[in-house]
């Protein structure tokens, strides 16, 4: 379904975003809104598409949001940067050969690589209040429970 949705989006007459990060930087805008800044708010949910008589959805892969906000070159650049960052961190952790807080944090972030086929969760949740709280709770729990044991 997500590939079909992306295909429908690419075939449609869509206008690229005029607001930087309109669909991808939702977490940053929400955090700024919580801090009292007057920022543009947008729903995270995308427009539906339909195929067949009664079938439809609104899942497009992460590529749809990247193309909408940053164009094709931006989408390619984002994918290259994500690949380089996650590969470098993975290589570093693999060579250290120890299970510690950094492995947990990498696993917490690396799920976005698998979820890419459904939607973007890296940029949309990046710097969101709930994401930062999750990282803080993970660090605190690790230090309290694992390091003391």
């Amino acid at each position: 379904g997500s590939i079909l949705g992306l295909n429908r989006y690419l075939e449609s007459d869509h206008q690229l975003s005029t607001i930087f990060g309109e669909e991808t930087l939702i977490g940053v805008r929400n955090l700024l809104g919580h801090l009292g800044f007057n920022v543009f708010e947008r729903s995270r949910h995308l427009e539906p598409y339909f195929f067949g008589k009664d079938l439809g959805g609104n899942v497009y892969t992460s590529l749809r949001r990247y193309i909408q906000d940053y164009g094709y070159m931006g989408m390619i650049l984002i994918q290259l940067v994500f690949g380089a960052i996650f590969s470098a961190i993975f290589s570093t952790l693999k060579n250290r050969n120890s299970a510690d807080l950094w492995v947990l944090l990498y696993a917490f972030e690396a799920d976005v690589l698998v979820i890419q086929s459904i939607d973007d969760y890296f940029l949309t949740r990046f710097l969101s209040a709930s994401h930062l709280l999750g990282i803080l709770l993970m660090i605190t729990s690790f230090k309290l429970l694992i390091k003391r044991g």
Side-chain angles (χ1 to χ4, degrees), residues 65-120:
R65 288 187 193 269
Y66 301 153
I67 293 168
Q68 179 68 25
D69 281 355
Y70 312 111
Y72 289 101
M73 289 306 295
M75 180 265 300
I76 291 169
L77 183 63
I78 287 169
Q79 292 297 301
L80 288 172
V81 169
F82 283 175
I85 289 171
F86 280 101
S87 294
I89 295 171
F90 179 77
S91 293
T92 301
L93 293 175
K94 182 178 71 169
N95 292 334
R96 286 181 41 216
N97 197 24
S98 68
D100 58 8
L101 177 61
W102 293 108
V103 173
L104 290 174
L105 290 171
Y106 178 77
F108 185 68
E109 296 299 333
D111 70 323
V112 299
L113 299 174
V114 176
I115 303 298
Q116 260 194 133
S117 62
I118 299 170
D119 199 358
D120 169 57

Side-chain angles (χ1 to χ4, degrees), residues 4-147:
L4 177 61
L6 178 62
N7 190 49
R8 291 281 168 98
Y9 166 77
L10 294 174
E11 290 176 343
S12 72
D13 184 29
H14 56 274
Q15 300 295 322
L16 298 181
S17 297
T18 57
I19 299 171
F20 182 80
E22 179 179 358
E23 293 187 6
T24 53
L25 299 179
I26 294 170
V28 173
R29 281 198 314 277
N30 287 342
L31 183 62
L32 290 174
H34 289 313
L35 295 174
F37 291 93
N38 184 17
V39 292
F40 170 77
E41 291 190 29
R42 184 186 192 289
S43 171
R44 187 181 191 321
H45 304 290
L46 298 173
E47 67 280 351
Y49 61 88
F50 297 95
F51 56 95
K53 183 177 178 184
D54 296 322
L55 300 173
N58 68 341
V59 176
Y60 297 89
T61 79
S62 63
L63 302 180
R64 185 242 181 256
R65 288 187 193 269
Y66 301 153
I67 293 168
Q68 179 68 25
D69 281 355
Y70 312 111
Y72 289 101
M73 289 306 295
M75 180 265 300
I76 291 169
L77 183 63
I78 287 169
Q79 292 297 301
L80 288 172
V81 169
F82 283 175
I85 289 171
F86 280 101
S87 294
I89 295 171
F90 179 77
S91 293
T92 301
L93 293 175
K94 182 178 71 169
N95 292 334
R96 286 181 41 216
N97 197 24
S98 68
D100 58 8
L101 177 61
W102 293 108
V103 173
L104 290 174
L105 290 171
Y106 178 77
F108 185 68
E109 296 299 333
D111 70 323
V112 299
L113 299 174
V114 176
I115 303 298
Q116 260 194 133
S117 62
I118 299 170
D119 199 358
D120 169 57
Y121 284 114
F122 187 76
L123 290 178
T124 55
R125 76 177 184 182
F126 183 68
L127 289 182
S128 68
S130 60
H131 186 71
L132 293 174
L133 181 61
I135 291 172
L136 182 63
L137 287 173
M138 184 179 297
I139 292 169
T140 304
S141 298
F142 184 85
K143 289 190 182 286
L144 289 175
L145 300 174
I146 306 298
K147 281 295 190 182

